Amino acid sequence: MPIQDQLAFALDRNDQEPNRLVAKQIVDAGGSKEVKELISFIKSKPKQRAQSDAILALAYVGEQAPALLEDEAVFLISQLNSSINRVIFGSMIALAHIAHLQKEKLFDSLPQIIEAMDAGTVVTRDFGYRIMITLYQDDRFQEDMFLLILEQLMKAPSNQLGQYAERLIEVLNNSHLSSLIKVLEERRSDISNEYHVKRLNKNLKKLYKQL
């Protein structure tokens, strides 16, 4: 049976379990051939739901076995230009899972990634930010990535700011402490929700201790 005929849309299912099972089947088989089949299927421009399920299956593959998608970064980046939200965020999820394997390519593709983040869903932004954090950890890209990450922190919705700050703090170069503190202090006046204020204050307290 063709791999696409096992996806949720083909089984008239609205849940993700069939797509997860397809991904597990591909991973268990070490299935680069099946990955190519799914990509060819997406390129054939089937209906929106079919494209979405196929790209989400690839994202599940990337979660479990990133190496199977390592050579598909160019295709996944191209899908960030899709008009289908689920295709965009599925592609961003997949890219986040392979970012450590394709740092140079993703660094060169940051304009497309950031454009998709700015226009996309919460999921698209979150996984795009994960890509940025992965690139930040590479000394070759760290200074450029820090500035781009600060831009994301400046415009992040208050309910995302805490987790974004925490992801950066986990890998922060001490030379960037003061700049990060300054940005988070500036953002503190924007936030009215008590929980988000407490979370931000907790992050700032941790940073001040490291000065």
Side-chain angles (χ1 to χ4, degrees):
M1 180 188 295
I3 196 78
Q4 63 265 22
D5 291 347
Q6 302 171 54
L7 296 169
F9 82 94
L11 302 178
D12 199 24
R13 295 266 298 267
N14 292 318
D15 61 299
Q16 287 297 309
E17 189 59 23
N19 302 331
R20 291 190 182 96
L21 289 173
V22 165
K24 185 177 187 306
Q25 175 186 326
I26 292 171
V27 171
D28 288 348
S32 56
K33 174 177 174 287
E34 289 82 0
V35 166
K36 296 288 187 187
E37 285 180 14
L38 279 180
I39 289 174
S40 295
F41 177 65
I42 296 165
K43 287 179 176 178
S44 73
K45 297 294 183 185
K47 291 183 179 180
Q48 287 192 13
R49 189 175 165 204
Q51 289 187 57
S52 300
D53 284 338
I55 206 79
L56 287 167
L58 289 176
Y60 294 130
V61 169
E63 180 181 24
Q64 299 172 62
L68 285 176
L69 296 186
E70 181 177 1
D71 295 333
E72 309 303 341
V74 171
F75 168 76
L76 293 167
I77 291 163
S78 75
Q79 296 306 294
L80 297 177
N81 296 321
S82 173
S83 59
I84 306 169
N85 274 334
R86 291 176 79 217
V87 170
I88 296 169
F89 73 65
S91 300
M92 195 72 86
I93 293 169
L95 287 167
H97 289 315
I98 67 170
H100 62 294
L101 302 173
Q102 287 286 5
K103 293 177 185 177
E104 295 88 350
K105 197 172 294 295
L106 290 183
F107 182 77
D108 290 341
S109 301
L110 278 170
Q112 297 101 299
I113 290 169
I114 292 171
E115 183 178 355
M117 289 171 66
D118 289 344
T121 64
V122 170
V123 175
T124 302
R125 289 197 300 273
D126 284 354
F127 281 88
Y129 187 80
R130 293 187 193 194
I131 292 170
M132 297 176 83
I133 292 294
T134 297
L135 295 176
Y136 172 81
Q137 293 174 75
D138 189 309
D139 290 344
R140 296 170 297 170
F141 311 129
Q142 191 167 85
E143 293 304 319
D144 289 332
M145 291 313 306
F146 183 63
L147 295 176
L148 292 171
I149 288 169
L150 288 186
E151 289 178 9
Q152 292 298 316
L153 293 175
M154 285 299 295
K155 62 187 178 184
S158 59
N159 63 342
Q160 291 174 277
L161 179 61
Q163 64 167 305
Y164 283 10
E166 286 154 15
R167 283 189 179 276
L168 178 58
I169 289 168
E170 286 175 2
V171 297
L172 190 69
N173 184 319
N174 280 347
S175 67
H176 295 145
L177 266 171
S178 297
S179 297
L180 178 58
I181 288 170
K182 181 179 178 182
V183 165
L184 295 182
E185 288 283 13
E186 287 178 20
R187 284 301 312 273
R188 183 152 53 174
S189 61
D190 309 336
I191 301 174
S192 55
N193 180 283
E194 183 178 354
Y195 170 78
H196 298 315
V197 171
K198 285 182 178 178
R199 189 172 185 176
L200 182 58
N201 285 341
K202 183 178 179 181
N203 289 331
L204 280 165
K205 184 177 180 181
K206 184 175 183 178
L207 289 168
Y208 278 121
K209 284 183 177 179
Q210 295 177 47
L211 278 175

